[in-house]
Amino acid sequence: MFSDEPVRTPADLPRDACYRHAIFSVPPGDSPFWYIHWGAFTCRNSLVFASFARRILQRFDLLDTPPPTKPTILWVSRRDSGTRIIPYEDEVRAWLQPHVDAGRLELNIVSLQADLPSFRDQIAIARRSNVMVAPNGSGLMHAIYMAEEAIVMEVQWLGGAPEQFRNVAKAAGKLHFAVRSAGPEYNYNTGKKVEYINVTLDALKDGIRAALVSSAHLTC
């Protein structure tokens, strides 16, 4: 990230490439971002995160993407995964559609892997968004590529660690808040999967209202 060498993806390299010096993403699973017992995370607007995101955005010619001129929601869907799905996608779409039709906001409900298998396309839609609605999971790492001063609304299930992506958003200079599951549901001790996160439609609407008001004083 602090190198003059160009960013390369595995597709750019021969199959028998030998890695003598390499930097791999941010951050690993044993870092303080992932563990609750590290306590309060005080880093904000991390130079490491900013530099990493800048390098990746430059690599894909996305750094100078103009910021959205209206609230632009990226809803990260897990509808095809069978687990940790945010419910009420159709109802939320119908609720927001009049505002989309009136040109007051943009809504993109996408499954990052199913709808946008290209990593560049995933980063590009994040870069064009200033509001993200996503379940607890690795898709929230795309927040580091979002427009400046973007808002991240995390839908948390009870089996996940609530500090993980709050810390990521904070380090990336984004505003983060959570809509938490009412439970009870999945936990790692039972091995039972949760299909839909246990949140109400009203809770989702309240969270989205808060995000929109924060981003553009828009009332739904």
Side-chain angles (χ1 to χ4, degrees):
M1 66 187 70
F2 300 112
S3 167
D4 292 330
E5 290 296 316
V7 176
R8 296 182 176 87
T9 67
D12 299 323
L13 303 172
R15 297 183 63 181
D16 58 351
C18 176
Y19 300 95
R20 293 185 178 178
H21 303 284
I23 299 173
F24 294 98
S25 193
V26 293
D30 58 352
S31 82
F33 291 101
W34 308 125
Y35 284 93
I36 298 172
H37 66 256
W38 284 78
F41 185 74
T42 58
C43 179
R44 187 182 298 275
N45 296 313
S46 164
L47 177 61
V48 172
F49 266 55
S51 299
F52 178 83
R54 182 180 181 86
R55 289 278 286 159
I56 299 302
L57 290 166
Q58 284 178 328
R59 165 65 175 80
F60 293 107
D61 298 319
L62 295 169
L63 182 61
D64 296 324
T65 301
T69 57
K70 58 187 174 183
T72 301
I73 301 173
L74 171 59
W75 175 297
V76 178
S77 173
R78 288 178 55 90
R79 60 181 178 270
D80 300 320
S81 70
T83 183
R84 280 185 285 133
I85 303 169
I86 304 176
Y88 305 112
E89 280 189 11
D90 292 340
E91 290 84 350
V92 169
R93 189 193 301 273
W95 172 59
L96 292 175
Q97 194 61 47
H99 299 280
V100 174
D101 293 342
R104 290 193 288 267
L105 66 82
E106 181 178 338
L107 173 65
N108 297 297
I109 299 180
V110 299
S111 168
L112 292 177
Q113 291 182 323
D115 300 331
L116 298 173
S118 161
F119 184 51
R120 186 191 187 282
D121 290 344
Q122 293 179 16
I123 295 175
I125 196 169
R127 189 63 173 166
R128 296 195 306 270
S129 304
N130 53 11
V131 176
M132 176 186 285
V133 179
N136 177 275
S138 58
L140 281 161
M141 284 301 297
H142 286 67
I144 71 174
Y145 305 114
M146 293 178 71
E148 301 304 319
E149 300 183 354
I151 297 164
V152 179
M153 175 181 142
E154 178 182 357
V155 183
Q156 294 180 343
W157 56 293
L158 294 188
E163 279 82 358
Q164 289 180 337
F165 296 104
R166 181 197 67 188
N167 292 345
V168 168
K170 191 173 183 179
K174 315 303 180 190
L175 175 65
H176 172 281
F177 67 93
V179 173
R180 298 214 66 189
S181 165
E185 53 187 24
Y186 177 97
N187 82 47
Y188 286 108
N189 296 323
T190 66
K192 180 184 177 183
K193 287 185 177 180
V194 59
E195 183 175 6
Y196 287 94
I197 299 174
N198 188 9
V199 293
T200 67
L201 178 57
D202 285 343
L204 291 172
K205 286 183 176 180
D206 287 345
I208 292 170
R209 284 191 190 98
L212 293 175
V213 169
S214 299
S215 66
H217 305 290
L218 176 68
T219 301
C220 290

